[in-house]
Amino acid sequence: MSDLAGAWRVPAACLVLAFALLAASGWCVLSRATSPSDGTVINIGDQAVSSRAVVVQKTTDDGLFRAGDEVVSINGTPVRDAVRDGIGGPQAKVGDVVRYELRRDGQRVDVEKTLTLYPIMDAVGKNWPTLLVLALILIVAAGAFTARPTDPAAQAALLTSALSFITSSGSTHFQLEALDLVAGGQFWRWYTGEFSFMLLWAATLHMAIAFPAVYNKSVFRKQVTAGYVGALLLYGLMALYAWQFIDDPLGQFSLIGSPVLPVLYSYPLIILIALILRYRTAQDELDRLRMRWVVWSLGGGALLYSAFFAVPEAIIGRTLLPSELHTLAFLPVPIGVAAAILRYRALNIEVVVSRSLVYGALSAGTIGLYIGLVSLLSLLFPPLDELWQQAAAAACVAVLVQPLRSRLQALINKRLFGDSHDPYRVVSALAARLEETRTPNETLPALVETIGSALRLPYVAIEILGSAGSPNEHVATFGEPTGELFRLPPFVPRRACRPIGRSA
């Protein structure tokens, strides 16, 4: 009983931690949705602060703030003093008028901004492609964990997906505003997202060294621990440097408030090296085939993120693509894992992947259908502002979704399991193939090849039972064995057929 409890201790801890992270993600969304906003977007880092101000990253819709404006003070409180004395303050309210002192092109500019409720739906709408990617990652990871909760790779995938959600809801989708430095507690929501982003890189390393199998559990535990502790240690060293050697409060703030900063410049390379070493030390060719997809997806995602987001922001002060799209750099990850499962049965969770792909594609198709239908109706008729008009559009989409789901399920099942859902087609293909055989020696190879191809099986074999003490003899094989083999017992009919002969 104690051994069983010990075996389930780690899966239970992973599940509880994943639920806690997802709950914290929900808190981040709710906190941002119910707080006032001044519409600005600021950042903290090497290019985002000066000795007296923080820099606005984007021009606001109302034009009051422009990209490059330096926010010197808010309601008469210098930003420098606010950071030094403690970030945040009394909660502002929607409708409050806030005064900003800006430095624009070397000139002082005074701006008054009436606070509005944060446009949560607009932010979600702008980031819906990323949300779909995160949802697909979570579905695949949750399915893998449900199917094999004790597998280290499934555990790492679950933690990675949960950290992706809190990173996005904490800081990626809902970024830091100038107001957050002097009022309310939104800075800590943003900091939670940045801290989770740091841990996300460690979890990605965790995933890289756990997939597809763990050969030495003791070494694996040490490597995983070193990955998470290393990220925390890098942040601690950076914070210590800021406290000891930087006197300017905003300079300290730019480092201490960016937990992910040192990890961004180290962990992508570490992950890439770990993947290469794992590939070279894999104990069999099948594991190497599975890892090729993950090596290219994880390594490619890390390189894409560095090339389009992290490095350009550090060098030129801005990303080459909109920052809201940074999670799309890791779109190859679920594709690579799915490919490893589809082609080489990694983790043995093909059914889970089938359902995940169906509902992921169905979600994207449903949103696309709704947007397309509403756009078309808006061109033909007045804008669909009434609730009943939007409900009618949603009902039309619901009617169209069911046949779409059936077709998607059939297509994906065909790719995963061949014709296993259509025995008549399998028997027909087998009969047609056997008719083409010319000699008895071709019959059994044709049989296993047809069954393997029709059912998408990685390995099929026919063996003759050996005598006592001797191994079985394989008389026909197709493909390569993957994992544990499933053997059908010998079939002996109850009634033997009488020999048929010609009558005299």
Side-chain angles (χ1 to χ4, degrees):
M1 183 64 69
S2 59
D3 293 340
L4 180 63
W8 283 95
R9 187 178 297 116
V10 173
C14 288
L15 186 62
V16 170
L17 182 57
F19 273 115
L21 292 172
L22 292 175
S25 178
W27 167 79
C28 289
V29 175
L30 181 63
S31 174
R32 180 69 275 185
T34 56
S35 297
S37 167
D38 62 10
T40 62
V41 174
I42 65 171
N43 201 349
I44 51 178
D46 296 338
Q47 306 292 328
V49 299
S50 64
S51 59
R52 296 177 53 217
V54 294
V55 180
V56 177
Q57 301 296 306
K58 298 179 181 179
T59 301
T60 56
D61 294 337
D62 55 16
L64 292 177
F65 301 91
R66 301 178 186 176
D69 284 351
E70 298 182 358
V71 181
V72 178
S73 68
I74 302 176
N75 278 342
T77 301
V79 172
R80 187 174 186 271
D81 294 345
V83 170
R84 181 192 61 202
D85 297 336
I87 299 172
Q91 180 69 46
K93 299 179 181 179
V94 174
D96 289 351
V97 177
V98 181
R99 302 184 308 276
Y100 295 81
E101 178 189 339
L102 309 178
R103 187 164 57 236
R104 178 182 299 165
D105 298 328
Q107 303 294 321
R108 172 174 171 169
V109 177
D110 292 322
V111 170
E112 289 189 350
K113 171 68 176 180
T114 301
L115 301 182
T116 59
L117 192 65
Y118 187 84
I120 189 74
M121 296 309 299
D122 289 345
V124 172
K126 291 178 181 178
N127 293 283
W128 72 265
T130 305
L131 293 177
L132 281 181
V133 173
L134 294 178
L136 181 59
I137 293 174
L138 181 61
I139 290 171
V140 173
F145 183 82
T146 302
R148 302 193 65 179
T150 58
D151 191 291
Q155 298 165 3
L158 184 66
L159 293 179
T160 301
S161 62
L163 283 167
S164 298
F165 263 88
I166 190 171
T167 297
S168 297
S169 61
S171 61
T172 303
H173 293 169
F174 315 126
Q175 296 182 338
L176 192 64
E177 300 186 353
L179 178 69
D180 300 333
L181 300 180
V182 299
Q186 284 302 301
F187 169 80
W188 300 108
R189 180 265 313 162
W190 183 86
Y191 181 83
T192 299
E194 289 292 288
F195 195 88
S196 299
F197 195 11
M198 175 191 68
L199 295 179
L200 176 59
W201 281 102
T204 305
L205 178 60
H206 181 179
M207 178 69 183
I209 61 180
F211 187 88
V214 174
Y215 305 126
N216 187 318
K217 291 186 177 181
S218 177
V219 173
F220 170 73
R221 293 191 189 98
K222 293 178 181 178
Q223 291 173 339
V224 171
T225 302
Y228 287 101
V229 172
L232 295 171
L233 182 61
L234 286 174
Y235 175 50
L237 292 174
M238 183 182 68
L240 181 62
Y241 170 82
W243 276 319
Q244 295 297 322
F245 300 102
I246 298 179
D247 296 329
D248 176 53
L250 286 176
Q252 292 180 351
F253 174 67
S254 67
L255 296 181
I256 298 174
S258 301
V260 74
L261 196 59
V263 174
L264 283 178
Y265 299 107
S266 56
Y267 268 55
L269 181 60
I270 295 174
I271 291 171
L272 187 59
I273 294 174
L275 288 170
I276 295 173
L277 292 176
R278 286 278 294 168
Y279 178 80
R280 296 188 63 180
T281 58
Q283 294 184 0
D284 57 66
E285 183 61 25
L286 181 60
D287 280 349
R288 289 192 181 93
L289 292 174
R290 292 168 172 170
M291 285 197 64
R292 284 177 187 173
W293 292 94
V294 180
V295 166
W296 285 109
S297 61
L298 277 175
L303 290 176
L304 285 174
Y305 180 84
S306 300
F308 289 98
F309 298 97
V311 174
E313 186 173 13
I315 296 175
I316 63 177
R318 61 181 179 84
T319 59
L320 298 182
L321 295 176
S323 59
E324 294 85 356
L325 302 179
H326 86 277
T327 50
L328 290 179
F330 297 95
L331 179 60
V333 175
I335 297 175
V337 174
I341 293 171
L342 297 181
R343 295 198 61 177
Y344 304 111
R345 270 55 176 183
L347 303 182
N348 298 318
I349 55 168
E350 297 87 350
V351 175
V352 172
V353 173
S354 171
R355 298 293 187 267
S356 301
L357 292 177
V358 167
Y359 292 114
L362 190 63
S363 299
T366 301
I367 292 175
L369 278 174
Y370 182 80
I371 293 174
L373 183 60
V374 170
S375 301
L376 178 61
L377 293 177
S378 297
L379 293 176
L380 300 177
F381 304 101
L384 304 182
D385 297 328
E386 299 295 333
L387 179 60
W388 70 269
Q389 295 173 329
Q390 298 177 7
C396 292
V397 172
V399 172
L400 296 174
V401 160
Q402 182 57 34
L404 176 63
R405 178 196 176 280
S406 300
R407 289 181 178 273
L408 281 173
Q409 186 71 71
L411 179 64
I412 292 173
N413 282 347
K414 175 74 173 178
R415 177 63 183 86
L416 280 171
F417 310 115
D419 295 321
S420 60
H421 65 289
D422 191 352
Y424 178 78
R425 183 186 294 271
V426 177
V427 173
S428 299
L430 182 59
R433 180 62 187 278
L434 292 178
E435 286 181 357
E436 297 175 356
T437 59
R438 297 180 179 180
T439 64
N441 292 334
E442 296 177 356
T443 302
L444 293 182
L447 179 66
V448 295
E449 181 181 355
T450 303
I451 293 176
S453 299
L455 301 181
R456 296 281 183 177
L457 298 174
Y459 180 68
V460 180
I462 296 177
E463 60 185 14
I464 298 177
L465 297 178
S467 58
S470 60
N472 297 341
E473 177 186 357
H474 287 78
V475 295
T477 61
F478 169 81
E480 296 292 336
T482 59
E484 183 179 356
L485 297 178
F486 176 74
R487 285 181 167 84
L488 294 174
F491 173 72
V492 179
R494 294 185 179 180
R495 294 181 181 179
C497 296
R498 291 181 298 176
I500 299 177
R502 294 182 181 179
S503 58

